[in-house]
Amino acid sequence: MEQPVNAQAGAAVPGTSTHADHPNQFALLGQRRFAPFFWTQFSGAANDNLFKFAFTVMVTYQLQVSWMQPAMAGLVIGALFILPYLLFSATSGQITDKYEKTKIIRFVKNLEIAIMALAAYGFVAENVPVLLACTFFMGLHSTLFGPVKFAYLPQALSERELTGGNGMVEMGTFVAILLGNIVGGLLIATPDVGRMHVAIGCMAAALAGRIVAQFIPLAPATDPGLKINWNPVSETWRNLKMAHGNPVVFRSLLGISWMWFFGAVFLSQFPSLAREVLHGNEQVASFLLVVFSIGIATGSLLCEVLSRRHVEIGLVPLGAIGMTVFAVDLYFATRGLPPSATLTLGEFLAQSYHWRVLADLALLSLFAGLYSVPMYALIQLRAQPTHRARIIAANNILNALFMIASSVIAGVLLQSGFSIPQIFLFTGLANALVAFYIFMLVPEYLLRFFAWVMSHVVYRFKVRGDEHIPTAGPAVLVCNHVSFVDAVLLMAASPRPIYFVMDHRIFRIPVLGAIFRLAKAIPVAPRTQDETTYEQAFERAAQVLREGDLLAIFPEGALTRDGSLQEFKGGVMKILERARQDGISPPVVPMGLTNLWGSFFSRIEVVNGDRVAMVRPFRRGMFSRVGLNVGQPVPAVQAQPAMLRERVAALLVE
């Protein structure tokens, strides 16, 4: 009997892992809940590109088709492949939410075998209309597989595995695209028997995908009672409205679609870049694709390492910065290259100034991987499970529209006299503007980026026990208060947004005050000083818990002035009392920040007899070691200030 994975994100039934019990993301390839799925999607992506590239080469170089000029072949094939995404994504999202996902995957793989059998006939018979029909059907195959591909992952993987799993899928997809293009080109170029070899290769890849799909565990339906709307126009509009209802998710969809716009501009211009700017032959154009694919794959795999195995959207601004920097530098690297005869790959690599071009392409694509993987993981984590596949379908629709727009805009710019390096410059600068706009709409990205920098660059931040931070539902976090950046480090440790109750005076500090306002921190003042602010703080705290979010409080009431743990005040009890009145009993999670006393942001310096912070920027140098220890949650009914202080104190000596 097949062992299913649970319908809820990050939870698995017996027989699967519910936590990150493996050393890294590659270990997932040894687990049944992930490996068969990975190789299924890998074979499908490879087959798509083997078929499309072989077909493109055949009608461009080998056959004379009077009604389709060679220069138009690539555009026609690409358009036919993308068209089903616009027509059927909304329907496929509904099907994925309504039915068990593994059965859908196997149906799609059966469909692929049938399409490739027809394509085999088309190649052998040199029947271009049949192959064009197969192009459309393979686009339909990918459209059906897209939502189930990304909806399966959060059912099979825990939150701590989601970034690594998405990184593996992204890496596998681009490696498969690369292999499909290379193999397709090699097979179709075989004299006399090339088309037969392509037919055999396409059938072999389809059969291999169907065989491994048989081993994917069942993934239960998330909304079995859903009534399918077969009208693609009205359902597409409804899906987009549904996605728009969650601002963070919707703007992440826009961010991913922009990444596809950005990438499509570069990928579509590689042949022209190689021929007209770099003066290289077809081998050089293929090598540019290899470099780009390796960069994407590397960036995708780095996400888990850089995110401490959480969904770390702080990497998204880092990725956007890198994409712009290296896109702009690519303009300067390709501008004004000396004219030459057509270069072979060896001759191209022998010129040192070409290495800058390759480095820019590799780093640009690496940062694109850092940009996209956390966004995919965030959508999977934050989208409502019953609507997840339809949200992903909305993403596929937006992706297709943005890629079409990229082709149109690039074509208009070329017709207007822009050079290819100038188009790269335009795209890089546009990326900076789009990223800034998205990050202003969703400040959480910038906040997480700042927290990521603080925990990776300013400090060497080690977290222990972060599995005790709930990944869903309300909770109260209590922590010692050592420095002005305590809240920032807690942000870096949590996979979810945290709302902080903080002393109103911290909002007057330049930069930090702006950051905490951006984070919607809750200012609190002593009741004797400002009763209105005091009452509003507790009302806002109650609202945070009612909405199922994380609330953090520093129960000492102020920063320590001597490094020791102060007595806990009663604010946390008032918060829990208000929660009980609302019918909520949130767990209380004790936390202990270690080794922050003595850092730049702690009040260790004495100036005019007063303890102050932020006087000597490099008093402990860069990368000083600090830590956070997270303890077992305490039930709300057992929580008392003295007991919570003891729990936090114990975490400080571990």
Side-chain angles (χ1 to χ4, degrees):
M1 180 177 177
E2 292 187 88
Q3 192 71 260
V5 293
N6 197 296
Q8 299 301 316
V13 298
T16 65
S17 173
T18 58
H19 56 85
D21 56 359
H22 50 81
N24 56 53
Q25 57 204 332
F26 291 101
L28 290 171
L29 290 176
Q31 300 183 26
R32 186 184 166 195
R33 62 199 171 109
F34 183 80
F37 165 80
F38 175 86
W39 292 115
T40 299
Q41 68 86 29
F42 184 94
S43 67
N47 209 12
D48 280 344
N49 288 276
L50 190 161
F51 166 78
K52 285 192 300 177
F53 193 72
F55 181 28
T56 303
V57 170
M58 187 178 84
V59 295
T60 302
Y61 294 102
Q62 299 178 0
L63 292 181
Q64 297 299 318
V65 183
S66 60
W67 47 271
M68 186 169 67
Q69 296 299 315
M72 293 297 295
L75 291 175
V76 170
I77 291 170
L80 275 176
F81 190 82
I82 289 176
L83 183 59
Y85 282 92
L86 297 175
L87 297 178
F88 304 116
S89 283
T91 303
S92 76
Q94 294 178 89
I95 291 171
T96 300
D97 277 333
K98 182 176 178 62
Y99 297 107
E100 195 277 321
K101 294 174 181 56
T102 304
K103 291 180 180 178
I104 298 173
I105 293 173
R106 292 169 185 166
F107 169 79
V108 171
K109 292 292 111 178
N110 290 337
L111 178 63
E112 182 183 354
I113 292 172
I115 297 169
M116 287 298 98
L118 183 61
Y121 162 76
F123 277 114
V124 173
E126 299 180 0
N127 191 319
V128 174
V130 167
L131 291 174
L132 287 173
C134 289
T135 302
F136 178 85
F137 290 137
M138 282 303 284
L140 175 61
H141 152 272
S142 296
T143 301
L144 293 172
F145 189 72
V148 71
K149 168 174 143 180
F150 286 108
Y152 173 85
L153 285 175
Q155 286 187 228
L157 304 179
S158 71
E159 184 275 333
R160 290 174 62 85
E161 298 168 316
L162 204 51
T163 294
N166 275 279
M168 290 292 291
V169 168
E170 190 88 343
M171 176 275 296
T173 298
F174 275 88
V175 171
I177 290 171
L178 181 61
L179 288 177
N181 283 325
I182 292 173
V183 173
L186 291 175
L187 291 179
I188 196 66
T190 307
D192 301 325
V193 292
R195 292 161 203 163
M196 177 61 74
H197 285 178
V198 171
I200 294 171
C202 288
M203 282 300 299
L207 289 169
R210 179 60 184 88
I211 290 169
V212 292
Q214 194 62 35
F215 298 96
I216 301 175
L218 298 179
T222 51
D223 191 5
L226 174 67
K227 184 177 180 181
I228 293 179
N229 173 18
W230 296 101
N231 184 327
V233 177
S234 63
E235 185 60 25
T236 294
W237 180 247
R238 188 162 70 179
N239 281 3
L240 291 173
K241 286 179 65 177
M242 186 187 306
H244 190 265
N246 186 326
V248 173
V249 168
F250 183 72
R251 286 155 188 167
S252 297
L253 298 184
L254 293 178
I256 288 174
S257 297
W258 170 255
M259 193 275 294
W260 282 105
F261 178 105
F262 182 92
V265 168
F266 288 88
L267 288 169
S268 65
Q269 296 304 317
F270 279 170
S272 299
L273 174 68
R275 183 179 64 251
E276 299 172 15
V277 179
L278 303 178
H279 314 297
N281 62 9
E282 295 88 345
Q283 292 176 328
V284 174
S286 297
F287 190 68
L288 297 181
L289 177 62
V290 170
V291 170
F292 193 88
S293 299
I294 291 174
I296 286 276
T298 303
S300 300
L301 294 177
L302 279 175
C303 287
E304 185 183 64
V305 177
L306 296 177
S307 66
R308 293 196 182 92
R309 305 177 77 177
H310 281 302
V311 176
E312 181 49 85
I313 62 174
L315 295 176
V316 176
L318 177 66
I321 292 169
M323 289 162 66
T324 289
V325 167
F326 292 107
V328 171
D329 192 67
L330 185 61
Y331 162 74
F332 290 105
T334 54
R335 187 184 61 166
L337 291 177
S340 71
T342 301
L343 302 172
T344 65
L345 180 57
E347 292 168 338
F348 173 81
L349 294 175
Q351 303 294 332
S352 59
Y353 47 79
H354 289 149
W355 284 90
R356 179 180 173 186
V357 174
L358 296 176
D360 282 334
L361 275 179
L363 291 169
L364 177 153
S365 54
L366 183 150
F367 280 98
L370 293 179
Y371 175 94
S372 63
V373 168
M375 277 195 172
Y376 275 116
L378 179 72
I379 291 167
Q380 293 163 350
L381 192 65
R382 299 280 183 89
Q384 188 176 344
T386 54
H387 297 77
R388 188 183 288 128
R390 279 167 282 173
I391 297 296
I392 293 165
N395 177 60
N396 291 341
I397 295 166
L398 290 172
N399 290 350
L401 292 173
F402 272 65
M403 284 190 284
I404 292 169
S406 77
S407 298
V408 172
I409 292 173
V412 169
L413 291 176
L414 287 171
Q415 290 295 321
S416 302
F418 279 70
S419 68
I420 292 172
Q422 287 172 335
I423 290 176
F424 292 164
L425 176 64
F426 171 83
T427 306
L429 296 177
N431 179 70
L433 294 175
V434 170
F436 181 77
Y437 175 71
I438 291 174
F439 300 150
M440 286 298 97
L441 289 176
V442 188
E444 187 181 346
Y445 283 109
L446 287 178
L447 292 169
R448 298 290 304 196
F449 175 60
F450 182 73
W452 185 87
V453 170
M454 290 295 296
S455 61
H456 285 78
V457 178
V458 178
Y459 296 115
R460 282 181 291 177
F461 186 46
K462 183 176 181 180
V463 183
R464 294 196 302 169
D466 54 337
E467 67 274 10
H468 297 314
I469 302 174
T471 56
V476 178
L477 315 179
V478 296
C479 188
N480 59 319
H481 205 4
V482 190
S483 77
F484 284 104
V485 294
D486 293 350
V488 176
L489 293 176
L490 294 190
M491 284 184 209
S494 171
R496 299 167 58 195
I498 302 175
Y499 296 88
F500 293 89
V501 179
M502 304 182 71
D503 190 310
H504 68 292
R505 290 170 294 185
I506 201 169
F507 292 86
R508 303 172 192 163
I509 300 174
V511 181
L512 286 177
I515 290 170
F516 295 136
R517 277 190 289 272
L518 203 59
K520 299 181 181 178
I522 304 167
V524 64
R527 191 171 205 165
T528 54
Q529 293 181 17
D530 189 341
E531 184 169 359
T532 300
T533 300
Y534 177 84
E535 292 296 338
Q536 286 178 346
F538 286 102
E539 175 53 37
R540 178 72 183 98
Q543 181 184 351
V544 167
L545 295 175
R546 284 196 299 269
E547 293 174 353
D549 293 319
L550 297 178
L551 178 74
I553 184 171
F554 300 103
E556 296 167 272
L559 266 69
T560 179
R561 292 181 174 273
D562 58 7
S564 63
L565 185 65
Q566 309 301 305
E567 294 299 318
F568 281 15
K569 299 188 181 334
V572 65
M573 299 310 299
K574 181 165 184 175
I575 288 171
L576 294 175
E577 176 58 32
R578 289 289 296 271
R580 277 193 291 271
Q581 293 173 8
D582 292 331
I584 304 169
S585 184
V588 182
V589 183
M591 297 178 162
L593 285 163
T594 61
N595 207 34
L596 270 165
W597 179 251
S599 70
F600 170 64
F601 294 101
S602 66
R603 284 178 163 160
I604 194 171
E605 307 292 349
V606 179
V607 177
N608 298 325
D610 192 20
R611 291 278 187 178
V612 296
M614 296 179 281
V615 174
R616 294 170 54 196
F618 301 104
R619 70 182 320 277
R620 282 198 349 196
M622 299 290 284
F623 303 109
S624 61
R625 294 181 180 275
V626 299
L628 175 69
N629 296 325
V630 185
Q632 292 274 359
V634 176
V637 294
Q638 298 178 13
Q640 294 293 329
M643 184 265 280
L644 293 174
R645 184 183 181 280
E646 289 178 7
R647 294 288 185 95
V648 172
L651 294 170
L652 299 180
V653 297
E654 288 184 2

